[in-house]
Amino acid sequence: MIKRARLIYNPTSGREEMRRRLPDVLQRLEGYGFETSTHATIGEGDARLAAIDAARRRFDVVIAAGGDGTLNEVVSGLAEQEARPPLGVLPLGTTNDLARALGIPRSWDAAIDIIAEGYAKPIDIGQVNKRYFMNIAGGGSLTELTYEVPSKMKTMLGQLAYYMKGFEKLPRLRPIRMKVESEEASFDEEFMIFLIANSNSVGGFEKLAPDALIDDGYMDAFFLRRCTLADFIRLASMVVRGEKVQDPLLVQFRTKRISIESPDYVQLNLDGEFGGTLPCDIRVLPKHVGVFVDPTGRSTYHRSGGGTAAIAVHPSGAPGAGFTLGGGGSGVGVD
C-alpha cells in the first residue's frame, strides 16, 4: 500500500535550496510512506514533459518543487491528461503565488506534512490558446519583467530583483491598442497593461486581486487605460496596499472567457513566464487539478497550521497517507 510519488524539482529555484535539501525531503517523504523517485529539470519545458510522463506511468502523487514557473509547467503537463494525479507543492521559488493563494507553507517540511494529510482541493486553471496558467495571465510592457530577470540575479537577490527590473522599465511604459470581447464587456481602446487573475496572489502581492478565488469558476479581469506615469504609480500603489480601487482608469470585471487582440506586438506573461503573443482566447477550466492543502484551512504561506498529518497504518504495517479529493469527498483513485 506504499504510495508512489514522482518529485519534479528545479535545482536552481529558491537560491538552489532544493539541491541542498533533497536528502532531507526524500527522508521525510519516506517516513510518510511515499516511495519517491525524482526528476531534476534541465531546461525550459522539461517539467511539463516530466509531468506528462508521471501521469502516464500512473504515479499516485506528483510533487512539484520550485517556483511558479516550474509549477506552471507541471500543471500544464497534467492538464491534458485523462488521469491527473493530485499535485503536491513545495514552494521554493522567488514569489510562490500558488502557495500563497492556497495557504501552503513556505517551509518545505510543513509543506510535506500537508501532502501527507492527503486532502486534495480541486482548483481552477486558466487556458490561453494552447497554454495554461494557475495564477495570472497578463500583457503590456511591465508584465514582461518577470521573465526578463536573469535566473542568477533572482538566485542572488530574490524578489528584490523584480523590483529593480520594474523601476528600470517604468519610464518606458507605453499604451497598447487592444480589442477585448467577453460576455461582460466589449471595448476597443488603448491600455497600459492587463491582468487576468485566477487567484488573489499576483507577483507575491497577496492583495493585488483581493476578490479572486481559485475555485469559483471565474477569472478577475483588470485593464488599465491609457494614463500618465504619475497616475500609473498612484493606482499601482493603491492596489499593492490592498485598497479597493474605484477609478475610471481601471476597468474591472469577472468572466469565464475573454478574447484579446491587438495590431501591436504584445507578449503574454503566464505565471511569470513567456506565454506567447496576442491574439489570445482565455478561458477558465473549473476544478481541473487537485492540489494538496491543509484541510483545516489554518495554515498560510507564512506559517504552518500546526496540525498533524493523517497517517494511516495499513494491514501490512506500512504507514501511508489516505488521499481524498476535496469538495465531493470522492477518492482520487490512489488508495
Side-chain angles (χ1 to χ4, degrees):
M1 299 299 294
I2 296 294
K3 308 299 177 184
R4 295 173 60 242
R6 185 65 160 170
L7 173 62
I8 302 170
Y9 71 96
N10 182 347
T12 66
S13 286
R15 306 190 184 188
E16 302 186 358
E17 182 179 3
M18 189 62 193
R19 194 193 300 272
R20 301 190 304 271
R21 294 289 190 181
L22 184 57
D24 298 325
V25 168
L26 293 177
Q27 184 175 15
R28 195 173 189 89
L29 286 168
E30 182 179 2
Y32 278 129
F34 292 101
E35 183 181 84
T36 308
S37 61
T38 65
H39 178 93
T41 60
I42 57 175
E44 182 180 352
D46 190 49
R48 174 181 171 275
L49 296 176
I52 292 172
D53 178 67
R56 291 177 177 172
R57 291 169 62 185
R58 302 287 180 171
F59 277 90
D60 300 319
V61 177
V62 171
I63 302 172
D68 287 313
T70 301
L71 292 182
N72 176 280
E73 288 196 15
V74 171
V75 168
S76 296
L78 297 177
E80 295 180 351
Q81 305 308 304
E82 185 174 343
R84 295 183 290 275
L87 176 64
V89 176
L90 303 186
L92 301 176
T94 305
T95 54
N96 304 307
D97 278 325
L98 184 66
R100 292 173 188 269
L102 292 176
I104 297 171
R106 177 72 174 90
S107 169
W108 66 268
D109 49 352
I112 290 177
D113 293 344
I114 282 179
I115 295 171
E117 290 275 5
Y119 179 79
K121 176 187 179 72
I123 68 167
D124 305 338
I125 64 172
Q127 182 175 9
V128 182
N129 298 336
K130 295 183 179 181
R131 300 176 187 244
Y132 301 90
F133 68 96
M134 303 165 301
N135 300 294
I136 191 75
S141 300
L142 199 59
T143 63
E144 299 167 9
L145 70 89
T146 53
Y147 49 82
E148 288 183 357
V149 177
S151 295
K152 185 170 290 187
M153 188 176 182
K154 286 190 287 185
T155 298
M156 293 187 299
L157 300 178
Q159 199 160 359
L160 178 61
Y162 293 123
Y163 300 148
M164 293 172 62
K165 193 70 175 180
F167 285 124
E168 176 188 316
K169 291 181 70 71
L170 273 178
R172 302 202 303 271
L173 282 178
R174 62 180 181 85
I176 299 168
R177 191 84 187 182
M178 298 183 201
K179 182 179 180 181
V180 180
E181 295 285 348
S182 74
E183 286 188 8
E184 297 77 11
S186 177
F187 34 83
D188 185 348
E189 57 183 286
E190 289 186 327
F191 294 97
M192 307 297 290
I193 189 174
F194 74 85
L195 299 173
I196 312 297
N198 186 45
S199 79
N200 65 347
S201 182
V202 179
F205 297 105
E206 296 172 34
K207 297 180 180 180
L208 201 59
D211 299 325
L213 299 174
I214 203 164
D215 60 352
D216 62 354
Y218 283 88
M219 303 172 292
D220 288 61
F222 302 87
F223 288 81
L224 180 61
R225 289 189 164 105
R226 179 174 187 153
C227 62
T228 65
L229 181 58
D231 278 329
F232 178 88
I233 294 174
R234 172 180 62 84
L235 291 171
S237 299
M238 293 173 64
V239 171
V240 168
R241 291 195 300 266
E243 298 179 20
K244 193 71 175 179
V245 180
Q246 298 292 339
D247 191 288
L249 289 174
L250 186 64
V251 179
Q252 308 175 59
F253 57 94
R254 305 178 76 226
T255 187
K256 294 182 178 181
R257 189 163 191 162
I258 186 171
S259 64
I260 308 170
E261 58 183 76
S262 173
D264 296 332
Y265 176 81
V266 181
Q267 295 183 4
L268 295 171
N269 182 311
L270 304 181
D271 292 335
E273 303 295 326
F274 175 70
T277 60
L278 292 183
C280 71
D281 182 73
I282 307 175
R283 66 188 181 109
V284 66
L285 302 179
K287 296 183 177 3
H288 198 71
V289 175
V291 181
F292 291 116
V293 299
D294 179 5
T296 71
R298 291 195 301 263
S299 72
T300 70
Y301 175 73
H302 305 285
R303 66 176 178 85
S304 168
T308 302
I311 303 301
V313 178
H314 297 285
S316 64
F323 301 153
T324 60
L325 187 65
S330 60
V332 294
V334 297
D335 209 3

